[in-house]
Amino acid sequence: MLQIRNWIDSVGSMKKRKFFLKLIVTTVLITVLPSLVSNIFAYYRVSGIVEEETGNNKLQYLNQTINTLEILLNRIKENSNLLALNRSFISFENFPNGAYYEGLQGEIPEEDLPALYAYLEAKKNTFLTMNSFKLSDQFVDSVYFYDSSKNLVITSDKDRSNRQFRREDFYDKDWYDAVQTMQVNPVFLDTRTAKQYPEGDKDLLSVIYKSKKANNAIIVNLDAAMIYEDIISKLNASDDMYVVSSSGNLVFRSQSSMTGGVQQIGLPEALQSAKSGSYSIELDGSNKLVSYSSSALLGWTFVNISDMGVYTQGTIDIKQTITYSAGALMLFSLLLSYFSSRSLYKPISRLNALAKGRSDGKIQLVSEQSNGPDDELSVIGSFVRSTIDERNYYKERLEESLPFQLERFKLSLLQRHTMSLEEIESKKDYLGLPISLHELSVFLLSIDEEMASNGEDMLAQDLCKIKIMDALQDSVVLGLGTAFFVVNVEKDKIAVVFNLSGKGRQQLFHLAQQLLDEVNARLGVQFSLGVGSICSGIEELPLAYEEAAEALKYRILYGKGYVISMDDIRADNGQTFHYPNQLEEKLNSYIRTACLQEALFIFDAFVAEIEACKHKLHYNQIQPIFIQLFTSIRYSFSSFGTGIETLFEKGTDPYRELLDLGSMDHIVAWFQSLITRGVECIRQEIHARGNQHIAKVIEMLENDYDKDISLQWVAEHLNLNPAYISRLFKQSTGQPFIDYLKQVRVDNSKRLLAEGRLKINEIGKQVGFGSAHYFIKVFKEITGITPGEYKKIYS
């Protein structure tokens, strides 16, 4: 009974001690809630990260697959282009009366035999070229060449056999409609099931390349199963894979994938917002991760479907752990909070007794007027409020005390003011400033290290300034031996004002260097020091301070860590700096021709010009010089049809970035990086344009061979350098420009000779030769016979 009564008494006592109950509840919440919330947040965060990282990995696999396929098909495209330009194909396509020789049957007239032999030789070379092309890549299953003028399809099959068919008799006709309607060259067809010779079907991926003559085309058939097995399956072997064309047809799919899978995952809606991405979907009773990415070259979308259950098993275990640990933590926290709160409450109870024992009655009055709860803290709160009021009163008095006034007064002496000498003398004596008002000078000490604007770096900077001011208070550091004072003037600058009785400018500079060396050695931080002029009276002190501040701005020219005086700067500024235009032109010339080492050498010479004349420049002239140089480099980039902004992050203003650089070293490093990245970009652009230029040159030769065409004429039409075209043409075709032109003219003269309507000298002029003698000479060099002999044989 006694124990029950004691328990009841303790419960009743706790009801009166409201703060004690709040303390227990608060302790429980503080102990449990952060852990519980952090665990829940961690669970959802881990789940999200697992899904995000899994999606990123799948996208990486997809992009690897896309890149591999694009490389393969680009290679096929380039090889098809070379195949169409091959001399064997051109000779076979343009052979005079080719359809006639294809139709010959029975006994062949003797006069047709030479031309027939030449035609069969051209066809044999075409077969050999197709066989070589088919063997150039393991994925090529077969190659067709469709000649519309001869109504002929010739093939190079997988078994290295060669056949020819009339188009209407050919066993595989699915490509014909695409040849008739194609708008771009080449065309990639969707995967199709094609009939094979002599029988059977096979999945093929066809690439159609249209030649220059009529509707002739080269059809390259790639083995779809081999592509999937060697490329797609190896990179994405564990998941379901789809490849969908722009028309919605399936190009490839894994063996485990179902044809209707693309419609189930809702991919077309996802592609409306992005070309690649990942999202989760409930499919076949389980959570699936769908990742997709599109190929701009092929117009195909690659889709990967993976089971998320394999990756989220660990998060389910985390969820169970959170549930069990939260229950155990709640029980343990409740017991711990009760016993810890009893210990924490003891000081509160003592403060409560102390507050109630005050004899002035102030707390009781405040408590009666308060609308808050009548508990222990209301009494203690009244006591604390009265104490805070007293502290604030004395704090206000303290802010008006002498140290604060002294700092304000010292700072005002360095600023332009309206105080008279009498007012300055009176206030100086009242505040106890030990300095004479005559023969003064000022040093302005600046911290060279750049400090960020975040809280921690600002605190570090304030602590550094306190150390500097403490060190400067030591007259041994200053080495002055006279009256002085130190004042904090700006966020990174400290001024030292002192009497300089009987000393000149030379002694002043010696003293400045001695002070700078001593401060750098003691504090381990780099400083610069600006020197003001010697003042005969204190009224000249603001002007001397402004000169010291102006001198510090010349750190961009002289560098950091030096003593700088406006007298030296004025003495050096007697001549005018001339902008090095010739060096700028050379620099831009080397940039446009992608000569990196030469460009960096000229830029170093440009900087050396500025360094040599830095004593002739105002610090405000440095940035305009480099802004002018950057603008000229920007124009060099624009000549290539691209902007220099591509070398910077999106949203970056290069001019603002350049203006924010605070020293010559930073500016030089910025330009060196810009020139290096820019030259690499131009080098890639020159290589890409070179292939386009040669294609245009060949097209001009094929179309304008009958004109008075030359390397200089082509260069003027393309606005290019003749030497550049000559070098690039031989690298791309394997022939000099003039030899290729001769061959084109001779090939076209053969057609006219075979027709037999024109004389030899007329044919020579019509195909572009200046004289009949030169035409006969070139024709015999290339063919081994004269034009007359050729005309007798083939006309």
Side-chain angles (χ1 to χ4, degrees):
M1 292 295 293
L2 182 60
Q3 293 179 350
I4 295 175
R5 181 175 296 178
N6 291 336
W7 181 80
I8 293 173
D9 292 339
S10 64
V11 172
S13 177
M14 287 183 62
K15 288 182 178 179
K16 296 179 181 179
R17 295 184 291 177
K18 297 179 180 179
F19 177 76
F20 184 55
L21 293 174
K22 293 179 181 178
L23 188 59
I24 294 175
V25 174
T26 304
T27 305
V28 172
L29 293 177
I30 291 174
T31 306
V32 176
L33 279 182
S35 176
L36 185 61
V37 171
S38 63
N39 286 338
I40 294 174
F41 175 81
Y43 167 74
Y44 285 104
R45 178 62 177 164
V46 169
S47 300
I49 290 175
V50 167
E51 182 173 334
E52 180 182 353
E53 290 301 320
T54 303
N56 291 337
N57 290 335
K58 297 304 179 182
L59 284 177
Q60 184 178 1
Y61 292 146
L62 287 179
N63 290 330
Q64 289 176 354
T65 304
I66 292 173
N67 291 337
T68 305
L69 278 178
E70 287 182 347
I71 291 171
L72 169 64
L73 295 179
N74 268 324
R75 187 173 67 208
I76 297 298
K77 173 184 173 182
E78 292 172 0
N79 291 343
S80 300
N81 185 20
L82 294 176
L83 186 62
L85 295 175
N86 187 276
R87 185 57 57 192
S88 299
F89 270 92
I90 295 175
S91 299
F92 180 69
E93 280 185 311
N94 297 324
F95 198 96
N97 301 321
Y100 166 74
Y101 296 118
E102 283 292 339
L104 286 176
Q105 294 181 355
E107 185 177 355
I108 300 174
E110 184 176 353
E111 60 270 16
D112 287 337
L113 289 177
L116 179 60
Y117 291 151
Y119 176 75
L120 293 177
E121 181 68 21
K123 182 188 290 189
K124 182 189 75 172
N125 291 334
T126 301
F127 276 123
L128 293 175
T129 303
M130 290 174 61
N131 288 337
S132 299
F133 174 81
K134 183 174 66 62
L135 295 175
S136 66
D137 197 294
Q138 62 176 338
F139 297 106
V140 177
D141 181 83
S142 57
V143 183
Y144 309 153
F145 175 59
Y146 169 56
D147 193 328
S148 60
S149 63
K150 304 179 183 67
N151 194 33
L152 180 68
V153 179
I154 62 176
T155 70
S156 177
D157 293 324
K158 191 68 175 179
D159 57 358
R160 300 187 181 181
S161 60
N162 300 108
R163 302 177 180 86
Q164 72 174 42
F165 303 86
R166 292 192 305 167
R167 185 188 63 79
E168 55 270 18
D169 297 334
F170 191 46
Y171 53 84
D172 180 13
K173 301 178 182 178
D174 293 341
W175 48 267
Y176 180 70
D177 291 338
V179 172
Q180 303 301 315
T181 59
M182 61 188 291
Q183 301 294 326
V184 295
N185 203 16
V187 169
F188 298 97
L189 298 183
D190 295 348
T191 302
R192 60 192 183 92
T193 301
K195 294 182 179 180
Q196 297 293 286
Y197 185 89
E199 60 185 11
D201 295 335
K202 194 169 189 178
D203 290 338
L204 299 177
L205 175 62
S206 298
V207 182
I208 302 177
Y209 193 93
K210 207 167 186 179
S211 69
K212 293 183 177 297
K213 183 175 180 180
N215 287 326
N216 292 5
I218 299 169
I219 299 90
V220 180
N221 296 312
L222 307 179
D223 191 330
M226 184 182 293
I227 291 175
Y228 181 83
E229 184 68 25
D230 290 357
I231 297 178
I232 299 178
S233 177
K234 286 186 177 179
L235 291 176
N236 302 276
S238 61
D239 303 324
D240 291 347
M241 279 290 299
Y242 299 91
V243 180
V244 187
S245 68
S246 58
S247 60
N249 297 324
L250 279 177
V251 181
F252 298 106
R253 69 173 185 270
S254 60
Q255 299 297 328
S256 60
S257 301
M258 299 180 62
T259 305
V262 177
Q263 286 73 24
Q264 294 181 39
I265 62 176
L267 185 61
E269 292 77 4
L271 287 176
Q272 293 176 3
S273 58
K275 292 298 183 182
S276 65
S278 298
Y279 59 92
S280 298
I281 187 174
E282 195 71 18
L283 188 65
D284 298 332
S286 62
N287 188 24
K288 302 290 186 180
L289 180 66
V290 180
S291 303
Y292 60 94
S293 185
S294 299
S295 168
L297 173 67
L298 306 175
W300 296 345
T301 301
F302 293 71
V303 186
N304 177 278
I305 303 177
S306 56
D307 188 1
M308 280 300 295
V310 178
Y311 306 102
T312 58
Q313 183 60 42
T315 59
I316 295 175
D317 297 335
I318 293 174
K319 184 176 181 180
Q320 294 175 350
T321 303
I322 291 173
T323 303
Y324 295 142
S325 61
L329 183 62
M330 178 70 74
L331 180 60
F332 177 77
S333 299
L334 186 60
L335 295 174
L336 181 63
S337 299
Y338 174 77
F339 293 104
S340 61
S341 296
R342 290 182 62 183
S343 300
L344 292 172
Y345 185 74
K346 288 181 181 179
I348 301 296
S349 62
R350 293 174 182 174
L351 279 175
N352 187 35
L354 177 63
K356 287 183 177 180
R358 290 189 59 170
S359 58
D360 53 11
K362 292 182 180 179
I363 295 177
Q364 183 178 359
L365 178 62
V366 174
S367 179
E368 291 173 354
Q369 294 176 352
S370 176
N371 295 324
D374 186 14
D375 56 10
E376 309 96 317
L377 290 184
S378 63
V379 178
I380 297 173
S382 300
F383 174 72
V384 172
R385 278 195 296 272
S386 64
T387 306
I388 290 174
D389 291 340
E390 292 178 2
R391 186 183 66 85
N392 290 338
Y393 171 75
Y394 289 111
K395 182 180 179 181
E396 292 175 359
R397 294 292 302 272
L398 184 62
E399 290 176 349
E400 298 173 358
S401 63
L402 292 178
F404 176 75
Q405 292 293 336
L406 178 60
E407 288 299 314
R408 291 185 59 183
F409 176 67
K410 290 191 293 185
L411 185 60
S412 66
L413 292 177
L414 297 175
Q415 300 171 346
R416 295 182 183 269
H417 55 80
T418 58
M419 292 186 294
S420 63
L421 287 176
E422 291 78 13
E423 290 176 343
I424 294 174
E425 185 72 34
S426 175
K427 205 161 190 178
K428 177 182 75 71
D429 294 339
Y430 171 74
L431 296 172
L433 187 63
I435 194 168
S436 172
L437 301 185
H438 305 284
E439 294 186 28
L440 300 164
S441 188
V442 59
F443 291 160
L444 189 58
L445 200 64
S446 175
I447 306 173
D448 285 341
E449 273 77 1
E450 296 181 359
M451 298 290 184
S453 58
N454 59 69
E456 292 184 1
D457 287 333
M458 291 179 67
L459 178 60
Q461 182 176 357
D462 290 340
L463 291 175
C464 181
K465 289 172 66 176
I466 291 173
K467 292 180 181 179
I468 297 170
M469 295 183 70
D470 289 341
L472 291 176
Q473 296 297 337
D474 186 357
S475 60
V476 177
V477 176
L478 290 174
L480 297 175
T482 184
F484 67 94
F485 66 83
V486 180
V487 58
N488 181 12
V489 290
E490 294 181 31
K491 66 177 184 178
D492 60 345
K493 295 180 179 63
I494 296 172
V496 181
V497 180
F498 53 92
N499 291 119
L500 195 68
S501 177
K503 295 183 180 179
R505 295 291 293 176
Q506 189 65 30
Q507 292 85 353
L508 182 65
F509 294 147
H510 177 73
L511 187 62
Q513 188 63 53
Q514 180 181 347
L515 171 62
L516 185 62
D517 293 341
E518 185 67 24
V519 172
N520 284 335
R522 285 203 180 191
L523 299 178
V525 179
Q526 188 181 44
F527 299 87
S528 294
L529 193 147
V531 180
S533 60
I534 300 176
C535 310
S536 59
I538 200 167
E539 66 276 4
E540 299 174 7
L541 193 59
L543 180 59
Y545 168 74
E546 291 173 2
E547 287 182 355
E550 181 76 6
L552 280 177
K553 294 179 181 178
Y554 279 83
R555 284 179 296 176
I556 190 173
L557 295 172
Y558 288 79
K560 299 178 180 180
Y562 294 100
V563 175
I564 307 174
S565 169
M566 285 302 296
D567 291 347
D568 296 334
I569 295 168
R570 295 190 188 101
D572 291 335
N573 282 339
Q575 302 180 19
T576 304
F577 171 75
H578 297 286
Y579 184 83
N581 288 300
Q582 293 182 348
L583 292 178
E584 178 193 286
E585 292 176 1
K586 287 184 179 180
L587 174 60
N588 283 298
S589 175
Y590 285 132
I591 290 175
R592 286 191 294 269
T593 55
C595 299
L596 177 59
Q597 297 302 323
E598 292 82 353
L600 291 175
F601 177 79
I602 295 300
F603 176 72
D604 290 340
F606 186 95
V607 174
E609 288 279 334
I610 298 175
E611 289 285 350
C613 300
K614 69 180 180 180
H615 298 300
K616 306 173 186 178
L617 295 169
H618 190 274
Y619 66 89
N620 285 332
Q621 293 177 278
I622 290 296
Q623 288 178 331
I625 291 173
F626 284 104
I627 288 292
Q628 181 177 347
L629 178 62
F630 174 73
T631 302
S632 69
I633 292 175
R634 186 176 184 179
Y635 288 148
S636 295
F637 271 84
S638 64
S639 65
F640 280 86
T642 182
I644 201 170
E645 290 78 7
T646 57
L647 303 179
F648 298 89
E649 294 183 2
K650 186 176 182 182
T652 300
D653 183 357
Y655 284 101
R656 173 51 53 192
E657 188 174 283
L658 178 57
L659 289 172
D660 289 340
L661 300 175
S663 69
M664 280 284 290
D665 292 340
H666 291 165
I667 293 174
V668 170
W670 188 85
F671 267 96
Q672 288 174 342
S673 175
L674 172 69
I675 292 170
T676 302
R677 291 182 283 118
V679 166
E680 180 61 28
C681 180
I682 289 176
R683 186 175 293 145
Q684 295 176 2
E685 184 70 19
I686 289 174
H687 179 73
R689 291 186 180 184
N691 295 335
Q692 299 176 3
H693 294 329
I694 295 308
K696 290 181 180 179
V697 171
I698 292 176
E699 184 177 357
M700 292 174 68
L701 295 179
E702 296 289 349
N703 296 331
D704 301 326
Y705 62 88
D706 56 335
K707 298 180 181 178
D708 186 14
I709 194 170
S710 65
L711 183 62
Q712 183 68 33
W713 183 83
V714 171
E716 290 176 357
H717 277 71
L718 296 179
N719 196 23
L720 296 172
N721 185 282
Y724 168 74
I725 293 179
S726 177
R727 183 176 69 255
L728 195 61
F729 190 89
K730 189 170 183 180
Q731 290 175 355
S732 300
T733 64
Q735 289 182 278
F737 173 86
I738 190 63
D739 291 351
Y740 192 94
L741 177 59
K742 289 178 182 178
Q743 184 67 53
V744 171
R745 286 173 170 172
V746 168
D747 288 344
N748 283 276
S749 69
K750 289 179 180 179
R751 174 176 53 81
L752 297 175
L753 289 168
E755 292 176 356
R757 293 184 293 101
L758 299 175
K759 296 180 179 179
I760 291 177
N761 61 338
E762 293 175 343
I763 293 174
K765 291 181 179 180
Q766 189 164 337
V767 296
F769 288 103
S771 65
H773 175 74
Y774 183 58
F775 169 52
I776 295 170
K777 177 183 177 183
V778 172
F779 192 93
K780 188 172 183 180
E781 286 178 355
I782 294 176
T783 64
I785 59 176
T786 64
E789 293 171 342
Y790 185 91
K791 186 176 182 181
K792 290 179 181 179
I793 296 173
Y794 295 104
S795 65

